[in-house]
Amino acid sequence: MRLSEAARIAPLEVVRDGEFESLGLLSYDDPKLLVTLYDARFLRRELLQNPHIACVITKPELAPLIPEALGVAIAEDPKRGFYEVHEYLLRCTDFYWKDFPTAISPEACVHPGAWIAPRNVRIGRGTVIEPHVTVLERTLIGEDAVVRAGSVIGADGFDPKEFGGVIRMTSHAGGVAIHDRVEIQANCVVCRGVFGALTRIEEDTKLSSLVNISHHVRIGRRCR
């Protein structure tokens, strides 16, 4: 997508057009990122050191400081413009995610008291889903995993933003990937990514009960 297209969604003025494939924060490593820069303190420390950034929404006074290789759009409130683009892409396009019917392996064991979203979920062979588990959209669970009673997988995380004196929670467009042989004990919450990326829990990792995994977290293999 191009910045000039985003300018038809939110009140942005394009200074230098550019193309982006993902949205994220200044520290993210997703490809061809669109980010927002609203504080000069983050220019040298984060924006200039991240090779994944392709386009920036920023304040008029900061635009001349952005490297010429990057696309630039300006707004009086760049953070608000950035999140307006995000919300539109989530609700009105398939920019972040292309829907598919839920697929549960016939060799998985899903308790009848669990709730699985009817689309955008995959559950692999040998995986156990216990009673009162909720598996929301954009959740990918591998083989021989265990999700214990009462856990919620794929919830929106905690990301409030204030615009014009009104506090709103940010809609989450990403997903969750739970790899093979992960065990999630009772009453845990694993939140999906804010943008298109996945919150990841990799092979053989084990979570105790009452654990909250926030959006865009990545936990490696064999962690406890």
Side-chain angles (χ1 to χ4, degrees):
M1 188 174 190
R2 300 194 68 80
L3 271 179
S4 51
E5 296 175 79
R8 296 198 288 268
I9 299 168
L12 308 175
E13 179 184 340
V14 177
V15 175
R16 188 166 55 243
D17 205 5
E19 187 174 2
F20 59 92
E21 295 178 359
S22 56
L23 277 69
L25 304 183
L26 291 167
S27 59
Y28 282 18
D29 59 2
D30 301 304
K32 298 188 75 171
L33 273 167
L34 170 65
V35 300
T36 179
L37 177 72
Y38 47 87
D39 189 325
R41 290 179 300 171
F42 302 114
L43 176 67
R44 294 189 182 279
R45 191 173 68 196
E46 293 184 281
L47 187 143
L48 296 181
Q49 296 181 21
N50 187 344
H52 303 283
I53 293 172
C55 296
V56 184
I57 299 174
T58 190
K59 294 179 177 180
E61 61 268 27
L62 296 178
L65 305 177
I66 306 300
E68 291 186 4
L70 305 183
V72 180
I74 58 174
E76 289 305 314
D77 188 341
K79 184 191 290 188
R80 182 170 189 166
F82 175 81
Y83 280 97
E84 284 184 14
V85 172
H86 163 66
E87 292 283 346
Y88 178 87
L89 294 177
L90 170 59
R91 300 188 186 284
C92 302
T93 75
D94 61 0
F95 178 86
Y96 286 120
W97 193 274
K98 292 180 173 58
D99 291 338
F100 58 85
T102 286
I104 301 174
S105 169
E107 297 177 65
C109 181
V110 179
H111 191 278
W115 189 85
I116 312 295
R119 63 179 187 177
N120 299 324
V121 173
R122 291 196 184 107
I123 298 176
R125 182 184 63 186
T127 286
V128 175
I129 307 292
E130 290 193 342
H132 306 298
V133 167
T134 300
V135 180
L136 297 167
E137 288 193 29
R138 306 187 187 113
T139 296
L140 312 174
I141 303 177
E143 297 184 357
D144 299 313
V146 178
V147 184
R148 299 290 184 195
S151 290
V152 179
I153 312 299
D156 277 13
F158 186 74
D159 191 20
K161 294 287 185 292
E162 182 174 345
F163 301 116
V166 178
I167 300 173
R168 294 188 176 91
M169 298 299 289
T170 303
S171 301
H172 285 47
V176 173
I178 295 171
H179 292 234
D180 298 348
R181 299 176 303 281
V182 168
E183 181 164 341
I184 296 171
Q185 294 192 337
N187 295 310
C188 293
V189 177
V190 181
C191 300
R192 59 190 174 198
V194 179
F195 305 105
L198 300 174
T199 300
R200 290 189 178 274
I201 304 176
E202 295 188 0
E203 290 86 349
D204 299 295
T205 285
K206 314 298 180 185
L207 303 185
S208 184
S209 300
L210 299 170
V211 171
N212 180 77
I213 304 298
S214 189
H215 45 230
H216 206 74
V217 166
R218 299 173 185 175
I219 299 177
R221 301 175 63 191
R222 303 179 62 82
C223 295
R224 286 171 277 183

